[in-house]
Amino acid sequence: MCPPRRVTRRATAALVAAVGAALLAGCGTDGGRLQSAGPAPTAIGPARLWPQLPPASAAPYDYGEGATARIPGITVPHDDVRALDPIAVVQADLKATTSRSSGSDELPADTVRRITACGTAPAACPVLQPYYRDLTGAGRDDMVLGVRRSDGQLSVRVYMAHAGALTRIMAVSDAVISVELAGRDVIMRVPSAITGYEYRTVWSWDDQQHAMLPTQDEILRKPPEAESSGRPSAEPSPAPTVTSPSPAVSEGRR
């Protein structure tokens, strides 16, 4: 390390003039010098292809993102979703009207019948245990529910309480490998038709849309443990897993 030097007003001009030489020669006397790494690559900006094409004005299909629904007949005392019966929530959701037309999470008729009969045939009830996490940043828990569909897919739904009412802020169905909660995100892993790959979609709360949106959607190599299992990538997992947190313990706001 170079020894410190006291700089006086009279020596300032000389010091400034010597800075360039000092940087090249270094502060030691062993002959060490800075070496150039060569010319830096030229930055290349994005180039728009086929600029004459008009931009699309509508999505090619409805993925269900941003569609919300007020759940009729459900009141939430103190906005505490833990006080709600998850089966009653899903049953009431069957009568809800979404904020816009969306068939991406329409449940099969057989699944609807089993949801309706949960009280008399609990063993066949497709509603899975709820999980709780503050996904909206409001400082209180939201409810994450799963419904096993008769076609092998899983419907993942998130409900938010506000002013004593309940609103569904996410509903998407897919043949999932797993569903995870990470911070304030819902992460879904879905099989790909490409061997050794899978889709990973991260759903996050959007303050402007007031809904959970797919903020990240990517195709990735499957983890090594999944590769070694020998299961084809297009084959859905027989039992989707949900990890962290425990349904009985809320981890609160992250």
Side-chain angles (χ1 to χ4, degrees), residues 81 86 89-90 127-135 141-147 154-160 169-170 179-181 184-188 212 242 244-245 247:
V81 293
V89 168
V90 176
V127 180
L128 303 179
Q129 64 183 22
Y131 286 79
Y132 302 96
R133 175 73 65 88
D134 179 9
L135 298 175
D141 284 337
D142 304 298
M143 176 187 286
V144 183
L145 281 176
V147 178
L154 179 71
S155 173
V156 180
R157 299 170 174 231
V158 177
Y159 299 89
M160 174 189 71
I169 57 175
M170 172 183 168
V179 182
E180 302 170 346
L181 293 179
R184 287 168 50 187
D185 296 329
V186 178
I187 303 175
M188 297 178 61
M212 300 288 287
V242 182
S244 178

Side-chain angles (χ1 to χ4, degrees), residues 1-5 22 26-28:
M1 184 175 182
C2 297
R5 294 184 179 183
C27 57

Side-chain angles (χ1 to χ4, degrees), residues 40 45 50 65 68 84 99 113 116 125 156 178 188 197 205 232 245:
W50 306 294
E65 69 276 25
T68 60
L84 301 177
S99 57
R113 284 193 295 269
T116 305
C125 183
V156 180
S178 69
M188 297 178 61
Y197 288 80
W205 170 254

Side-chain angles (χ1 to χ4, degrees), residues 63-83:
Y63 187 47
E65 69 276 25
T68 60
R70 180 65 61 89
I71 308 304
I74 298 292
T75 57
V76 192
H78 310 293
D79 289 342
D80 181 12
V81 293
R82 289 175 172 270

Side-chain angles (χ1 to χ4, degrees), residues 52-252:
Q52 72 277 13
L53 295 178
S57 58
Y61 59 89
D62 189 355
Y63 187 47
E65 69 276 25
T68 60
R70 180 65 61 89
I71 308 304
I74 298 292
T75 57
V76 192
H78 310 293
D79 289 342
D80 181 12
V81 293
R82 289 175 172 270
L84 301 177
D85 178 0
I87 295 177
V89 168
V90 176
Q91 289 175 337
D93 196 353
L94 297 176
K95 305 174 184 177
T97 302
T98 58
S99 57
R100 59 178 174 79
S101 177
S102 174
S104 62
D105 193 59
E106 183 177 350
L107 298 175
D110 181 62
T111 303
V112 172
R113 284 193 295 269
R114 288 191 292 147
I115 292 173
T116 305
C118 280
T120 56
C125 183
V127 180
L128 303 179
Q129 64 183 22
Y131 286 79
Y132 302 96
R133 175 73 65 88
D134 179 9
L135 298 175
T136 62
R140 55 181 175 269
D141 284 337
D142 304 298
M143 176 187 286
V144 183
L145 281 176
V147 178
R148 301 195 69 170
R149 297 167 42 128
S150 55
D151 58 4
Q153 297 188 36
L154 179 71
S155 173
V156 180
R157 299 170 174 231
V158 177
Y159 299 89
M160 174 189 71
H162 177 68
L166 191 68
T167 301
R168 182 194 344 121
I169 57 175
M170 172 183 168
V172 61
S173 292
D174 221 325
V176 305
I177 297 173
S178 69
V179 182
E180 302 170 346
L181 293 179
R184 287 168 50 187
D185 296 329
V186 178
I187 303 175
M188 297 178 61
R189 293 171 52 215
V190 178
S192 166
I194 304 176
T195 302
Y197 288 80
E198 65 185 27
Y199 290 103
R200 181 180 181 271
T201 304
V202 179
W203 291 78
S204 309
W205 170 254
D206 183 87
D207 284 323
Q208 183 172 345
Q209 188 64 31
H210 297 288
M212 300 288 287
L213 298 183
T215 54
Q216 297 180 47
D217 195 8
E218 53 190 348
I219 184 169
L220 302 170
R221 285 293 302 266
K222 296 180 69 174
E225 60 272 16
E227 291 266 19
S228 61
S229 67
R231 175 186 297 152
S233 61
E235 179 184 342
S237 171
T241 60
V242 182
T243 61
S244 178
S246 165
V249 179
S250 169
E251 296 187 16

